[in-house]
Amino acid sequence: MSGAESDVVVVGAGPAGCAAAVFAARDGLDVVVFDRGRSSLARCAHLSNYPGFPAGIDVGTLSDLMREQAERAGCTVVDDLVESVDRAGDDADRPEDQSGRFVVTPQEGAPVTAARVVAATRYDGEYLRGLDDDDALFARRDRGEETEETFDREYADRDGTTAIDGLYVASPSDADRQAITAAGQGARVGKRVVADARVDEGWWPAAAEGRDWVRREAELGDEWSDRERWVEWFDATHADGPVDPDSERFARVRDAAVEAERSSHVDADEEAARAAAGHRALAAHLDPEAVVAAHGADALLDAMDDEAVAAHAAAGGRTVERDEEATR
């Protein structure tokens, strides 16, 4: 990966990092995730308490699924270890328009410049050394004649914000001791990143606190099919806010907010298509023998159309797709 600019860099692709990255990317932010492949999750032999997996799930599969989800959301995931995060303005050779941004330098690839950085990894935090003039990022504890320094879990606020503008901490924190709570903390931080990015674009805080969900269009009723109804809703909600309702800024934010709300509702066909896509993405990570054991060969054959079965048989038990790949 060559040197690049990004809206957000997330350091770490465990549950916290992937959650933060997905929330940020889904709102249209350009996100780069650095993953060294040795998150705290990787230390587990088997994850048995993560909701949605009745018999538990091996950490390799869960990690692959989380990484794929980040990529599907639009994130660029880079297999590299971050060595340092510095302020771009600290380098006199950098353009003025990069002042105040961060330069994230990995071990092997080219640096990435970003407006925001989310620290979402438990390793010692040395890559953040020097960002805080007083090194308040680190807690000190006397160990006999030596002083031990560790990343201060209380440095960040609950939503991940810190005293350093643009730096957020999703991990290490008290939430990172279980994968599910780490993911929740990452989502909270991701939402904060989105809100702050919107404020930089002219949104005011009450309007910037958006929601990231998909709902059924049928639940709205005919009244909400009209865009003007959404405009009325926004005007009524923010009439007493800090921005003049007659201003260009108010109109611009209203248009963006209304569009976000309307696009978050899908019809029955889109709901079905998304469900099918979700099943396919999950199925791609399943052991074929496990699928056969769970459903039975007859059920799988019934699910295949006659042409697919015939093509499979004609190919001598190999799929046509595999034959094509072999000739590439």
Side-chain angles (χ1 to χ4, degrees):
M1 178 179 177
S2 59
E5 292 193 16
S6 179
D7 295 320
V8 183
V9 164
V10 178
V11 184
C18 284
V22 166
F23 270 78
R26 278 171 55 84
D27 201 67
L29 296 176
D30 184 53
V31 181
V32 175
V33 181
F34 284 98
D35 178 26
R36 66 172 185 164
R38 298 197 303 271
S39 70
S40 298
L41 182 65
R43 301 175 188 174
C44 298
H46 191 76
L47 198 62
S48 300
N49 56 1
Y50 205 96
F53 301 99
I57 184 170
D58 63 285
V59 295
T61 299
L62 182 61
S63 295
D64 289 346
L65 287 168
M66 292 191 302
R67 178 179 174 130
E68 181 179 326
Q69 186 174 7
E71 291 174 334
R72 281 173 173 261
C75 303
T76 299
V77 181
V78 182
D79 296 316
D80 209 342
L81 173 71
V82 170
E83 289 197 330
S84 66
V85 178
D86 304 290
R87 277 293 192 185
D90 293 342
D91 188 339
D93 295 332
R94 295 192 182 278
E96 289 185 4
D97 62 357
Q98 290 188 2
S99 179
R101 294 171 67 86
F102 296 95
V103 177
V104 181
T105 303
Q107 192 172 63
E108 299 177 359
V112 175
T113 302
R116 292 175 171 81
V117 171
V118 177
T121 178
R122 289 192 63 176
Y123 65 95
D124 59 19
E126 282 296 317
Y127 64 99
L128 299 174
R129 178 77 69 175
L131 281 178
D132 191 309
D133 293 336
D134 298 324
D135 267 349
L137 282 158
F138 299 91
R140 294 161 181 81
R141 179 183 302 174
D142 290 333
R143 295 282 189 181
E145 296 181 356
E146 297 182 356
T147 300
E148 178 184 75
E149 289 189 340
T150 57
F151 196 97
D152 188 353
R153 290 175 176 271
E154 298 181 358
Y155 181 79
D157 291 336
R158 186 172 180 270
D159 60 0
T161 54
T162 70
I164 302 171
D165 187 31
L167 176 67
Y168 306 78
V169 175
S171 178
S173 70
D174 287 338
D176 69 0
R177 309 202 179 215
Q178 293 289 329
I180 183 62
T181 50
Q185 175 63 8
R188 182 180 293 116
V189 174
K191 284 174 60 64
R192 182 73 264 156
V193 168
V194 168
D196 289 348
R198 287 178 170 180
V199 168
D200 285 352
E201 294 295 323
W203 297 50
W204 51 99
E209 294 287 348
R211 296 170 293 187
D212 187 334
W213 60 5
V214 179
R215 299 186 67 179
R216 295 183 178 91
E217 191 176 70
E219 294 181 359
L220 291 174
D222 293 340
E223 175 188 4
W224 293 93
S225 63
D226 185 356
R227 183 180 181 279
E228 287 305 310
R229 180 65 185 90
W230 287 98
V231 171
E232 293 173 2
W233 159 79
F234 187 90
D235 289 349
T237 302
H238 299 282
D240 297 326
V243 177
D244 181 359
D246 295 325
S247 67
E248 181 276 334
R249 176 186 174 190
F250 188 94
R252 174 168 51 84
V253 171
R254 177 179 59 201
D255 287 346
V258 166
E259 178 57 30
E261 287 287 345
R262 297 188 73 201
S263 63
S264 69
H265 293 78
V266 299
D267 60 22
D269 290 342
E270 177 64 14
E271 180 182 353
R274 294 193 183 197
H279 290 171
R280 287 194 298 270
L282 180 59
H285 292 268
L286 300 179
D287 180 353
E289 293 182 0
V291 176
V292 174
H295 295 280
D298 289 343
L300 296 180
L301 288 172
D302 288 342
M304 299 174 63
D305 60 45
D306 293 341
E307 292 183 2
V309 175
H312 179 78
R318 299 176 64 203
T319 64
V320 175
E321 290 79 9
R322 285 181 181 174
D323 285 339
E324 290 176 348
E325 289 179 359
T327 62
R328 290 174 185 169

